[in-house]
Amino acid sequence: SLSSFLDELFSIFPNPTKNSLNINLLSENEIQNSVIYNLLGQKLISSKSDQVIDVSQLEKGTYLIEVETKNGMSTKRFIKN
């Protein structure tokens, strides 16, 4: 299905993380945009094409990262320690 395909657009590591979040694209995609949200949906960090995002300023907790490529958009959850 399309949704399971989109879930496989990228992976993130390390998770949990302390300082930086690495985005690993699983195909020939390029990151067009990535946004980190808190669980209330507030946009906290926005990045255009970086594959490493500095999350050291975030409070401890659970966040969502949304990555957009030309092939679609996918969201994953991560924990900041």
Side-chain angles (χ1 to χ4, degrees):
S1 75
L2 183 61
S3 63
S4 62
F5 166 74
L6 291 178
D7 285 343
E8 298 306 314
L9 278 178
F10 73 101
S11 62
I12 50 175
F13 64 93
N15 186 11
T17 184
K18 271 193 186 333
N19 298 313
S20 61
L21 194 64
N22 298 276
I23 302 170
N24 180 36
L25 293 172
L26 301 181
S27 62
E28 298 300 311
N29 280 315
E30 287 179 29
I31 297 171
Q32 292 179 334
N33 199 27
S34 58
V35 182
I36 292 176
Y37 297 94
N38 64 18
L39 295 182
L40 300 174
Q42 297 166 309
K43 185 187 291 190
L44 303 176
I45 299 173
S46 185
S47 166
K48 278 294 176 211
S49 59
D50 296 339
Q51 288 196 249
V52 179
I53 300 175
D54 179 2
V55 295
S56 60
Q57 302 300 315
L58 295 177
E59 305 272 325
K60 291 183 178 181
T62 303
Y63 296 89
L64 299 172
I65 180 165
E66 180 181 81
V67 173
E68 182 180 358
T69 72
K70 66 181 189 305
N71 290 333
M73 192 158 18
S74 183
T75 304
K76 292 198 185 305
R77 186 178 292 237
F78 71 95
I79 295 168
K80 165 71 167 61
N81 279 343

